[in-house]
Amino acid sequence: ATLLIHEATFEDEMADEARAKRHSTTREAMDVAQQADAYRLILTHFSSRYPTMPIFDVEHRRNVAIAMDFMSIDLQDLTWLPRMVKPLDALFKHEEKAWEADDAEAPAA
């Protein structure tokens, strides 16, 4: 396969819940991509329990990219798209810290 777009609703530690809800973990999606010998895997459909993106081992999965809701991708971008995972992860972590700081400063209701 050239491209596999696969949902990754749950992190790996939640495999039982993923099965119960008929969803996949990031690891399961990566395994399917490996079995399909996919050139690129795009993970999408993350659980709303994650404010940003799920945790997965980027170092050993250089063919994995992520897509957010309403994102469009030009097939010509498949060559460099996985290189965006680390910067996006860093950006999201920075944003999470800012959200947490804002929550801490907000007056209690």
Side-chain angles (χ1 to χ4, degrees), residues 5-11 21-26 29 42-50 52-54 65-71:
I5 301 172
H6 201 295
E7 63 93 11
T9 304
F10 293 95
E11 290 182 349
K21 294 186 178 185
R22 297 180 180 256
H23 284 287
S24 301
T25 65
T26 53
I42 298 178
L43 298 175
T44 189
H45 192 65
F46 308 122
S47 173
S48 60
R49 79 179 70 233
Y50 311 120
T52 55
M53 58 187 265
I66 60 166
M68 303 301 180
D69 292 346
F70 306 109
M71 183 175 168

Coordinates of all heavy atoms in Angstrom, one line a residue, residues 5-11 21-26 29 42-50 52-54 65-71:
I5 N -4.7 5.2 5.9 CA -5.2 6.2 6.8 C -6.0 5.3 7.8 O -6.9 4.6 7.4 CB -6.1 7.2 6.2 CG1 -5.3 8.0 5.1 CG2 -6.7 8.1 7.2 CD1 -6.2 8.9 4.2
H6 N -5.6 5.4 9.1 CA -6.2 4.5 10.1 C -6.5 5.2 11.4 O -5.7 6.1 11.8 CB -5.1 3.4 10.4 CG -5.7 2.2 11.0 ND1 -6.3 2.1 12.3 CD2 -5.7 0.9 10.6 CE1 -6.6 0.9 12.5 NE2 -6.3 0.1 11.5
E7 N -7.6 5.0 11.9 CA -8.0 5.6 13.2 C -7.1 5.0 14.3 O -6.7 3.9 14.2 CB -9.5 5.4 13.5 CG -9.9 4.0 13.7 CD -9.9 3.5 15.1 OE1 -9.7 4.3 16.1 OE2 -10.0 2.3 15.3
A8 N -6.8 5.9 15.2 CA -6.0 5.5 16.4 C -6.6 6.1 17.6 O -6.0 7.1 18.2 CB -4.5 5.9 16.2
T9 N -7.8 5.7 18.0 CA -8.6 6.4 19.0 C -7.9 6.3 20.4 O -8.0 7.2 21.2 CB -10.0 5.8 19.0 OG1 -10.6 6.0 17.7 CG2 -10.9 6.6 20.0
F10 N -7.3 5.2 20.7 CA -6.8 4.9 22.0 C -5.3 4.7 22.0 O -4.7 4.2 21.1 CB -7.5 3.7 22.6 CG -8.9 4.0 22.9 CD1 -9.9 3.6 22.0 CD2 -9.3 4.6 24.1 CE1 -11.2 3.8 22.2 CE2 -10.7 4.8 24.3 CZ -11.6 4.4 23.4
E11 N -4.6 5.1 23.1 CA -3.2 4.8 23.3 C -3.1 3.3 23.6 O -4.1 2.6 24.0 CB -2.7 5.6 24.5 CG -2.6 7.1 24.0 CD -2.0 8.0 25.1 OE1 -1.8 7.6 26.3 OE2 -1.7 9.2 24.8
K21 N -14.9 -0.9 22.4 CA -15.6 0.2 21.7 C -15.4 0.1 20.2 O -15.7 1.0 19.4 CB -15.1 1.6 22.2 CG -15.6 1.8 23.6 CD -15.3 3.1 24.1 CE -15.8 3.3 25.6 NZ -15.7 4.6 26.1
R22 N -14.7 -1.0 19.8 CA -14.5 -1.3 18.3 C -13.6 -0.2 17.7 O -13.9 0.3 16.6 CB -15.8 -1.5 17.6 CG -16.5 -2.7 18.1 CD -17.8 -2.9 17.3 NE -18.5 -4.0 17.8 CZ -18.6 -5.2 17.1 NH1 -18.0 -5.3 16.0 NH2 -19.3 -6.2 17.6
H23 N -12.6 0.2 18.4 CA -11.6 1.1 17.9 C -10.2 0.5 18.0 O -10.1 -0.7 18.4 CB -11.6 2.4 18.7 CG -12.8 3.3 18.4 ND1 -12.9 4.0 17.2 CD2 -13.9 3.6 19.1 CE1 -14.0 4.7 17.2 NE2 -14.7 4.4 18.4
S24 N -9.2 1.3 17.6 CA -7.8 0.7 17.6 C -6.9 1.6 18.4 O -7.2 2.7 18.7 CB -7.3 0.8 16.1 OG -8.1 0.0 15.3
T25 N -5.8 1.0 18.8 CA -4.8 1.7 19.5 C -3.8 2.1 18.4 O -3.8 1.7 17.3 CB -4.1 0.8 20.5 OG1 -3.4 -0.3 19.8 CG2 -5.0 0.2 21.6
T26 N -2.9 3.0 18.8 CA -1.8 3.5 17.9 C -1.0 2.3 17.5 O -0.7 2.1 16.3 CB -1.0 4.6 18.5 OG1 -0.5 4.1 19.8 CG2 -1.7 5.8 18.7
A29 N -2.8 0.2 14.9 CA -2.8 0.8 13.6 C -1.4 0.7 12.9 O -1.3 0.4 11.7 CB -3.1 2.3 13.7
I42 N -1.1 7.4 8.1 CA -1.6 8.6 8.7 C -2.6 8.2 9.8 O -3.6 7.5 9.5 CB -2.3 9.5 7.7 CG1 -1.2 10.0 6.6 CG2 -2.9 10.7 8.4 CD1 -1.8 10.8 5.5
L43 N -2.3 8.5 11.0 CA -3.1 8.3 12.1 C -4.1 9.4 12.3 O -3.8 10.6 12.2 CB -2.3 8.1 13.4 CG -1.3 7.0 13.5 CD1 -0.5 7.0 14.7 CD2 -2.0 5.6 13.3
T44 N -5.4 9.1 12.6 CA -6.4 10.1 12.8 C -7.5 9.6 13.7 O -7.3 8.5 14.3 CB -7.0 10.4 11.4 OG1 -7.9 11.6 11.6 CG2 -7.8 9.3 10.8
H45 N -8.5 10.4 14.0 CA -9.6 10.0 14.8 C -9.2 9.7 16.3 O -9.4 8.7 16.8 CB -10.4 8.8 14.2 CG -11.7 8.6 14.9 ND1 -12.7 9.5 14.8 CD2 -12.2 7.6 15.6 CE1 -13.8 9.0 15.5 NE2 -13.4 7.9 16.0
F46 N -8.5 10.7 16.8 CA -8.0 10.5 18.2 C -9.1 10.8 19.2 O -10.0 11.7 19.0 CB -6.8 11.5 18.5 CG -5.7 11.4 17.5 CD1 -5.3 12.5 16.8 CD2 -5.1 10.2 17.2 CE1 -4.3 12.5 15.8 CE2 -4.1 10.1 16.2 CZ -3.7 11.3 15.5
S47 N -9.1 10.1 20.3 CA -10.1 10.3 21.3 C -10.0 11.7 21.9 O -9.0 12.3 22.0 CB -9.8 9.3 22.5 OG -10.7 9.6 23.6
S48 N -11.2 12.2 22.2 CA -11.3 13.6 22.8 C -10.6 13.6 24.2 O -10.4 14.7 24.7 CB -12.7 14.0 22.9 OG -13.5 13.2 23.7
R49 N -10.3 12.5 24.7 CA -9.6 12.4 26.0 C -8.2 13.0 25.9 O -7.6 13.3 26.9 CB -9.6 11.0 26.6 CG -8.5 10.1 26.0 CD -8.5 8.7 26.7 NE -9.7 8.0 26.3 CZ -10.6 7.4 27.1 NH1 -10.3 7.4 28.4 NH2 -11.6 6.8 26.7
Y50 N -7.7 13.0 24.7 CA -6.3 13.6 24.4 C -6.5 15.0 23.9 O -7.1 15.2 22.8 CB -5.5 12.7 23.5 CG -5.6 11.3 23.8 CD1 -6.1 10.4 22.9 CD2 -5.1 10.8 25.0 CE1 -6.1 9.0 23.2 CE2 -5.2 9.5 25.4 CZ -5.7 8.6 24.5 OH -5.7 7.3 24.8
T52 N -4.5 16.9 22.5 CA -3.7 17.1 21.3 C -3.5 15.9 20.5 O -4.3 15.7 19.6 CB -2.3 17.6 21.8 OG1 -1.7 16.7 22.7 CG2 -2.4 19.0 22.5
M53 N -2.6 15.1 20.8 CA -2.3 13.9 19.9 C -1.8 12.8 20.8 O -1.3 13.0 21.9 CB -1.3 14.2 18.8 CG 0.0 14.6 19.3 SD 1.1 15.1 17.9 CE 2.0 13.6 17.6
P54 N -2.1 11.5 20.4 CA -1.7 10.4 21.3 C -0.2 10.2 21.3 O 0.6 10.7 20.5 CB -2.3 9.2 20.6 CG -2.4 9.6 19.2 CD -2.7 11.1 19.2
A65 N 2.5 9.6 10.1 CA 2.1 11.0 10.2 C 0.8 11.1 10.9 O 0.2 10.0 11.2 CB 2.0 11.6 8.8
I66 N 0.4 12.3 11.3 CA -0.9 12.4 11.9 C -1.8 13.4 11.2 O -1.2 14.2 10.4 CB -0.7 12.9 13.4 CG1 0.0 14.3 13.4 CG2 0.0 11.9 14.2 CD1 -0.1 14.9 14.8
A67 N -3.0 13.2 11.3 CA -4.0 14.2 10.7 C -5.0 14.5 11.7 O -5.5 13.7 12.5 CB -4.7 13.5 9.5
M68 N -5.4 15.8 11.7 CA -6.4 16.3 12.6 C -7.7 16.4 11.8 O -7.7 16.4 10.6 CB -6.0 17.6 13.2 CG -4.7 17.6 14.0 SD -4.8 16.4 15.3 CE -3.2 16.5 16.0
D69 N -8.8 16.7 12.5 CA -10.1 16.8 11.9 C -10.0 18.0 10.9 O -9.4 19.0 11.1 CB -11.2 17.2 12.9 CG -11.5 16.0 13.9 OD1 -11.1 14.9 13.5 OD2 -12.1 16.2 14.9
F70 N -10.7 17.7 9.7 CA -10.8 18.7 8.6 C -9.5 19.0 7.9 O -9.4 19.9 7.1 CB -11.5 19.9 9.1 CG -12.8 19.7 9.7 CD1 -13.0 19.9 11.1 CD2 -13.9 19.2 9.0 CE1 -14.2 19.6 11.7 CE2 -15.1 19.0 9.6 CZ -15.3 19.2 11.0
M71 N -8.4 18.2 8.2 CA -7.2 18.5 7.6 C -7.2 17.8 6.2 O -7.7 16.7 6.0 CB -6.1 17.8 8.4 CG -4.7 18.0 8.0 SD -3.5 17.3 9.2 CE -2.0 17.3 8.3

